[in-house]
Amino acid sequence: MDRQAKAVVCREWGQPVQVETITVGGPKRDEITIKIAACGVCHSDLSATTGKIPYPPPLVLGHEAAGVVVEVGEGVTDFKEGDHVVSSFISMCGKCRQCVRGRPVLCENARKAMFNLPDGTVRTRDASGEPLNVFGACGVMAEFATLHVDNCVKVDDTVPMQNAALVSCAVMTGVGAVFNTARLEPGSRAAVFGIGGVGLNAIQGCVTAGAEMIVAVDNNPRKLEMAKEFGATHTVNINEVEDAAKAVKKLTGGVDYAFECVGAGPVVEQAYKSLGRGGTAVVVGVADPKDKTSLTTLSLPADERTLKGSWLGSARPQHDFPRILGLYKAGKLKLDELVTRTYPIEEAAQAFDDMVAGKNARGVIVFETPVA
Ligand code: NAD
Ligand code: ZN
């Protein structure tokens, strides 16, 4: 059935987000409708409002949400009404070479569902009946959303919704970059560039994986304080040093792993330069498509360095989201502390402004308590 929902929409790049009442159509085959309880505000949502991530507006934002299933479409067997689920912005067909070898974030058909559902259409319409695109096949910064089942993961219903929501992007991306992409060995030295929701999770991933030294690099002293609370052993404020990479090298002798969680060529260069011999730089930040990075070619073979990327922490969502929630329940990952502030949907624009101002570890839009 059709449902009316307040939703956070980008109408035009460079303009503040708007809250609109939209219509969310019921689920078609292999889809479910979710009553959203909480949705984190990620820098990628912000990048979609500026055109840095060039998803075409009008676009319903949000890809980091948790909620309750309220309706299931034909053929759905793995979800039922009342299940707690989180969104997953990677679309995976389950059949291509990448999916079958266990790398669903690289699904060869994923690009068919960047800003629509995998069948190429959307369930979202504005007040005048015009279709609205959806961020990453999700569009979950809304009271209701209809998603393909492959973009949903069932989660433990004892975990608070706002914590579960963050697992679907910030936590999976940061922790997964360490666990899955880098496969950091205990005793390693690491640096994390950019201490937002993603970078803080890269830090706690390094802690859990047993890193010896973890250097946090940012330009915001408040973020560097948060980094220490999440387990950073050292901090570098880029405004207080001539060269951040040299500062990291001075502290560590050169790191084994550097995680770039900003999304800018010059920061990737800094991360790469901070490596010691045999080191690996992992690019997590999402840069503008035209952005470029340069590095000294010889350092790749002569120092056996590696430069690699990480998409949603190289996740296998159905396996990794519950695994991460298990670590939280076991007291080995901080999720409560990640939620600095919650906002009602009417204050969504403020939540985006607060992200730009670097006020929050994560700001989360919370909706009224969902009814199963
Ligand atoms: P955020 O805005 O919460 O944090 C970014 C941090 O970077 C801020 O603390 C800011 O002060 C810091 N920063 C800015 N310029 C810097 C510089 N030159 N050097 C050091 N620090 C600097 O963002 P977030 O939500 O944590 O996202 C971080 C990046 O990760 C974004 O590019 C986002 O699009 C990307 N992202 C990637 C994936 C993925 O799958 N690879 C998933 C989610 C987000
Ligand atoms: Zn995100």
Side-chain angles (χ1 to χ4, degrees):
M1 66 182 240
D2 281 355
R3 290 179 171 84
Q4 300 295 298
K6 279 186 224 151
V8 182
V9 177
C10 167
R11 278 278 158 193
E12 197 185 333
W13 288 342
Q15 294 301 316
V17 296
Q18 283 179 210
V19 178
E20 298 183 17
T21 298
I22 66 165
T23 302
V24 178
K28 297 198 172 172
R29 189 174 180 82
D30 293 332
E31 295 175 358
I32 59 178
T33 299
I34 306 165
K35 186 170 189 344
I36 305 294
C39 181
V41 181
C42 174
H43 202 104
S44 299
D45 293 305
L46 177 71
S47 295
T49 72
T50 61
K52 186 176 180 186
I53 294 180
Y55 289 162
L59 178 81
V60 182
L61 295 160
H63 57 279
E64 189 179 79
V68 174
V69 178
V70 288
E71 192 179 344
V72 301
E74 202 189 318
V76 173
T77 52
D78 294 342
F79 297 89
K80 59 179 188 321
E81 282 177 36
D83 283 347
H84 286 209
V85 293
V86 297
S87 56
S88 165
F89 66 83
I90 61 154
S91 290
M92 47 187 194
C93 72
K95 296 188 177 70
C96 72
R97 186 169 160 270
Q98 297 293 356
C99 280
V100 296
R101 78 184 181 105
R103 297 303 320 280
V105 296
L106 304 178
C107 172
E108 287 166 1
N109 295 307
R111 297 218 158 99
K112 288 184 192 157
M114 306 279 276
F115 46 85
N116 43 251
L117 302 194
D119 75 352
T121 65
V122 290
R123 305 290 159 266
T124 34
R125 298 196 165 268
D126 69 11
S128 50
E130 292 302 313
L132 295 161
N133 293 326
V134 286
F135 186 113
C138 293
V140 284
M141 206 173 280
E143 290 172 316
F144 290 98
T146 296
L147 271 61
H148 191 277
V149 285
D150 291 344
N151 294 98
C152 300
V153 178
K154 204 188 292 189
V155 293
D156 184 333
D157 60 14
T158 64
V159 175
M161 288 287 196
Q162 62 193 37
N163 295 2
L166 300 194
V167 171
S168 63
C169 184
V171 187
M172 184 70 246
T173 300
V175 172
V178 178
F179 284 18
N180 293 338
T181 314
R183 296 186 174 275
L184 182 143
E185 305 94 11
S188 298
R189 298 178 177 188
V192 177
F193 291 73
I195 313 301
V198 173
L200 284 169
N201 280 292
I203 289 174
Q204 61 171 342
C206 289
V207 172
T208 307
E212 178 210 352
M213 293 175 82
I214 305 163
V215 186
V217 184
D218 204 294
N219 53 12
N220 179 338
R222 191 191 329 219
K223 293 303 188 76
L224 295 173
E225 277 311 308
M226 288 182 193
K228 282 192 219 150
E229 284 157 27
F230 276 76
T233 58
H234 300 77
T235 59
V236 171
N237 183 333
I238 61 169
N239 294 328
E240 291 171 3
V241 294
E242 204 172 302
D243 180 324
K246 277 193 188 144
V248 172
K249 274 199 138 162
K250 200 170 160 201
L251 286 164
T252 61
V255 290
D256 303 305
Y257 297 96
F259 299 91
E260 196 274 2
C261 304
V262 176
V267 187
V268 174
E269 288 164 24
Q270 290 281 300
Y272 185 79
K273 279 188 196 154
S274 74
L275 297 176
R277 302 197 77 192
T280 298
V282 180
V283 181
V284 180
V286 178
D288 182 285
K290 295 196 189 78
D291 192 81
K292 295 243 179 357
T293 298
S294 71
L295 47 86
T296 314
T297 313
L298 180 61
S299 63
L300 285 159
D303 287 339
E304 289 204 351
R305 293 198 208 181
T306 304
L307 179 65
K308 65 196 301 193
S310 180
W311 197 246
L312 188 56
S314 307
R316 297 137 301 169
Q318 313 291 343
H319 171 65
D320 284 314
F321 290 8
R323 179 161 81 119
I324 283 178
L325 283 170
L327 285 169
Y328 161 67
K329 288 180 79 178
K332 295 184 175 171
L333 283 179
K334 298 184 204 295
L335 298 190
D336 307 275
E337 295 83 347
L338 277 174
V339 183
T340 314
R341 183 170 164 192
T342 60
Y343 303 80
I345 189 166
E346 290 76 14
E347 290 174 19
Q350 183 65 47
F352 279 79
D353 287 349
D354 288 350
M355 156 167 284
V356 174
K359 289 189 180 166
N360 298 332
R362 218 32 156 198
V364 180
I365 311 275
V366 289
F367 302 85
E368 63 181 273
T369 311
V371 197

